[in-house]
């Protein structure tokens, strides 16, 4: 039995993966999302969600993610409960392997495994997450208006986010492991923070425990020099000690940054043709539900164009019965426009013995790169799906005719 081949397989069912599913299925592509648990990812654990456009103070993370999942399914997206453990991405047909032993095949893959805040595993941190414990000031700062909060971390992100929190909170106490006045952030951010009257400091200390009955009520702070533990009342705890991308299985598969995030271009293309990445697991400036959904939409549209180009090239060139001339041109290069006219004339004189296919390299750089096209215009000669010759730069009609006679 021949294994089913999808047009697009999405690894991860958070907002990026769900948006990719919506756009993929709506383009009439056979699309499936592989998700370890319930769809929604990290967003599904955010109880209050106030900054997603169109839902002013009126939705929750779980509700929005459920709506997105239903939206994807309404267009035909399959959402499969599978944990991905390995991928084979180099060939034309990609293979995604899961913990259940199943193997899924697809022409394109969108990687959306997400990322998670780095946890310090402090007592009370996990149980009070979303109940006063937060990892995102942009998401949650306004819940703490006129309240007191604690910030854990002293790098650039921690200090900048603490400054943002002062727009809402009554006071922001930053717990710093270093001696007084020593921070890991840049000097400018440190100066601004020291000058902010709403920011307080606890030096030479670490957070030992977060306490509260249903909501954060206080924290236990340990002085690392004296060993003394003291209790401080607070309404919230913000951790800014970095995020961890869920890309362990992608090592050696696609190009990753030093921090383990997937490197993409603006089309969400990774270093491997036909493989895209979206959401928090990729290198990006802002990690929010809205930017993840945007990534997913871009990735799915780019994948749809990729598949159309690949299928078109196979049908017109690689599977053609007659020899094929492929003219690589670009509308902004006048010489290439004239070259196409010459080719059209040469092919018309051969009365169907050869076929001409024109590829605009401005729109399709992938095929040009695959066949080593570095100069425009370039003509590549194909026979039985194989490249047999090429002419780079200027040429005459006679030169083209001579090449055609040789193949």
């Amino acid at each position: 039995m021949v294994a089913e081949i999808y047009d697009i397989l999405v690894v991860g069912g958070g907002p990026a993966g769900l948006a990719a599913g919506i756009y993929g299925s709506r383009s009439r592509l056979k699309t499936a999302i592989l998700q370890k648990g319930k769809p929604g990812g990290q967003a599904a654990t955010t109880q209050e969600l106030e900054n997603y456009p169109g839902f002013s103070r009126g939705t929750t993370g779980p509700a929005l993610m459920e709506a997105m999942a239903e939206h994807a399914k309404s267009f035909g997206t399959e959402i499969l409960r599978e944990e991905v453990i390995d991928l084979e991405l180099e060939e034309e047909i990609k293979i995604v392997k899961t913990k259940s032993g199943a193997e899924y095949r697809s022409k394109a893959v969108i990687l959306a495994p997400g990322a998670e805040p780095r946890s310090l595993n402090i007592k009370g941190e996990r149980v009070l997450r979303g109940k006063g414990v937060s990892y995102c000031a942009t998401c949650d700062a306004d819940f703490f208006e006129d309240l007191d909060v604690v910030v854990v971390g002293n790098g650039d992100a921690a200090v900048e986010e603490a400054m943002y929190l002062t727009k809402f909170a009554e006071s922001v106490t930053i717990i710093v492991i270093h001696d007084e006045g020593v921070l890991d952030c840049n000097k400018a951010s440190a100066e601004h923070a020291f000058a902010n009257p709403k920011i307080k400091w606890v030096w030479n200390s670490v957070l030992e425990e977060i306490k509260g009955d249903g909501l954060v009520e206080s924290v236990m702070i340990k002085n690392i020099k004296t060993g003394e533990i003291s209790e401080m009342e607070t309404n919230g705890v913000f951790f800014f000690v970095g995020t961890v991308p869920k890309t362990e299985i992608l090592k050696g598969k696609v190009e990753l940054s030093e921090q383990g995030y997937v490197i993409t271009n603006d089309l969400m293309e990774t270093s491997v043709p036909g493989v895209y990445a979206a959401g928090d697991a990729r290198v990006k400036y802002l990690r929010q539900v809205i930017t993840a959904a945007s990534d997913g939409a871009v990735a799915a549209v780019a994948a749809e164009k990729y598949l159309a180009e690949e299928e078109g090239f196979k049908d017109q060139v690689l599977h053609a019965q007659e020899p094929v001339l492929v003219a690589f041109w670009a509308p902004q290069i006048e010489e290439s426009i004239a070259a196409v006219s010459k080719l059209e004339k040469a092919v018309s004189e051969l009365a169907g013995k050869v076929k001409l296919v024109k590829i605009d390299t401005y729109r399709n750089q992938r095929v040009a790169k695959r066949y080593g096209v570095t100069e425009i215009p370039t003509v590549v000669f194909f026979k039985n799906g194989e490249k047999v010759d090429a002419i780079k730069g200027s040429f005459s009609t006679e030169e083209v005719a001579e090449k055609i006679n040789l193949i």
Side-chain angles (χ1 to χ4, degrees):
M1 179 179 175
V2 178
E4 185 176 25
I5 297 179
Y6 289 88
D7 293 310
I8 297 176
L9 271 180
V10 183
V11 178
L18 292 171
I22 291 169
Y23 275 76
S25 294
R26 192 169 182 271
S27 297
R28 301 295 189 269
L29 298 175
K30 187 170 181 58
T31 305
I33 297 172
L34 304 178
Q35 168 68 20
K36 178 181 177 181
K38 190 176 180 181
Q42 189 176 309
T45 67
T46 304
Q47 194 57 35
E48 299 295 330
L49 190 65
E50 296 188 341
N51 57 0
Y52 194 86
F55 294 90
S56 175
R57 301 182 183 273
T59 191
T60 65
L64 181 61
M65 292 303 98
E66 185 176 348
M68 288 180 69
E70 290 303 317
H71 192 168
K73 287 191 280 189
S74 73
F75 283 122
T77 303
E78 297 177 46
I79 300 180
L80 308 172
R81 200 156 195 170
E82 292 275 21
E83 180 179 356
V84 175
I85 59 171
D86 197 12
L87 306 97
E88 296 177 7
L89 303 174
E90 292 296 333
E91 301 299 326
E92 181 181 352
I93 299 299
K94 323 297 182 185
I95 299 174
V96 179
K97 301 178 181 180
T98 66
K99 195 172 184 179
S100 71
E103 291 189 358
Y104 295 87
R105 287 166 167 73
S106 183
K107 299 172 186 175
V109 169
I110 297 174
L111 304 169
E116 58 188 357
R118 190 181 302 279
S119 174
L120 297 183
N121 295 315
I122 291 168
K123 185 177 180 181
E125 177 184 351
R126 185 171 296 277
V127 71
L128 291 170
R129 182 172 179 172
K131 300 171 183 178
V133 171
S134 177
Y135 303 84
C136 177
T138 307
C139 311
D140 298 333
D142 59 342
F143 296 130
F144 297 89
E145 193 162 359
D146 298 326
L147 298 176
D148 301 309
V149 300
V150 163
V151 166
V152 179
N154 69 103
D156 286 343
V159 173
E160 288 166 12
E161 296 292 87
M163 292 287 288
Y164 179 80
L165 284 166
T166 62
K167 296 179 180 181
F168 303 87
E170 177 68 24
S171 70
V172 178
T173 300
I174 303 179
I175 300 172
V176 186
I177 196 170
H178 306 305
D179 289 336
E180 183 172 350
V182 178
L183 298 175
D184 293 330
C185 68
N186 65 79
K187 188 175 180 180
S189 292
E191 289 176 353
H192 288 145
F194 288 142
N196 192 312
K198 281 193 172 184
I199 293 182
K200 302 176 182 178
W201 306 88
V202 177
W203 304 100
N204 297 312
S205 298
V206 294
L207 196 63
E208 188 82 357
E209 181 182 353
I210 304 169
K211 300 174 73 173
D213 184 11
L215 292 172
V216 170
E217 297 172 356
S218 66
V219 292
M220 304 300 291
I221 301 171
K222 180 180 181 179
N223 185 295
I224 59 173
K225 288 194 171 182
T226 65
E228 180 185 356
I229 296 177
S230 59
E231 185 170 7
M232 175 191 294
E233 290 187 1
T234 189
N235 303 109
V237 180
F238 283 80
F239 287 90
F240 300 114
V241 289
T243 57
V244 181
K246 299 178 182 178
T247 56
E248 190 66 30
I249 63 170
L250 301 180
K251 290 181 179 178
K253 311 290 184 179
V254 295
E255 187 178 359
L256 304 177
S257 70
E258 289 183 9
Q259 294 75 32
Y261 293 93
V262 183
I263 297 172
T264 71
N265 59 16
D266 289 344
L267 297 180
M268 306 298 139
E269 294 173 318
T270 69
S271 56
V272 179
V275 180
Y276 302 80
D280 288 0
R282 79 178 191 91
V283 175
K284 60 189 301 185
Y285 177 69
L286 181 65
R287 292 182 172 85
Q288 294 279 278
V289 173
I290 189 170
T291 63
S294 172
D295 286 356
V298 172
V301 171
E304 187 270 328
K305 300 300 182 189
Y306 162 82
L307 293 174
E309 290 169 2
E310 291 297 307
E311 292 297 326
F313 189 78
K314 281 194 288 187
D315 291 343
Q316 295 181 62
V317 179
L318 302 183
H319 296 166
Q321 299 300 311
E322 67 272 59
V324 182
L325 305 187
V326 178
F328 291 92
W329 72 290
Q332 69 271 29
I333 300 177
E334 290 187 15
E335 184 184 355
S336 71
I337 298 173
V340 169
S341 296
K342 286 182 186 179
L343 290 170
E344 289 174 335
K345 181 181 178 182
V347 169
S348 66
E349 291 174 354
L350 290 169
K353 292 181 181 179
V354 69
K355 177 180 176 182
L356 175 64
V357 173
K358 295 169 280 187
I359 292 183
D360 179 352
T361 54
Y362 181 77
R363 295 173 177 269
N364 188 349
Q365 297 180 3
R366 190 180 304 104
V367 174
K369 183 177 180 181
R370 184 184 308 158
Y371 290 101
V373 175
T374 56
E375 187 176 347
I376 302 299
T378 289
V379 184
V380 178
F381 299 78
F382 286 84
K383 185 176 182 180
N384 298 326
E386 298 290 335
K387 175 184 174 181
V388 294
D389 210 339
I391 301 176
K392 297 181 179 181
S394 302
F395 56 82
S396 64
T397 305
E398 292 75 18
E399 186 179 3
V400 173
E402 184 180 342
K403 294 279 188 183
I404 291 171
N405 289 330
L406 291 176
I407 62 172

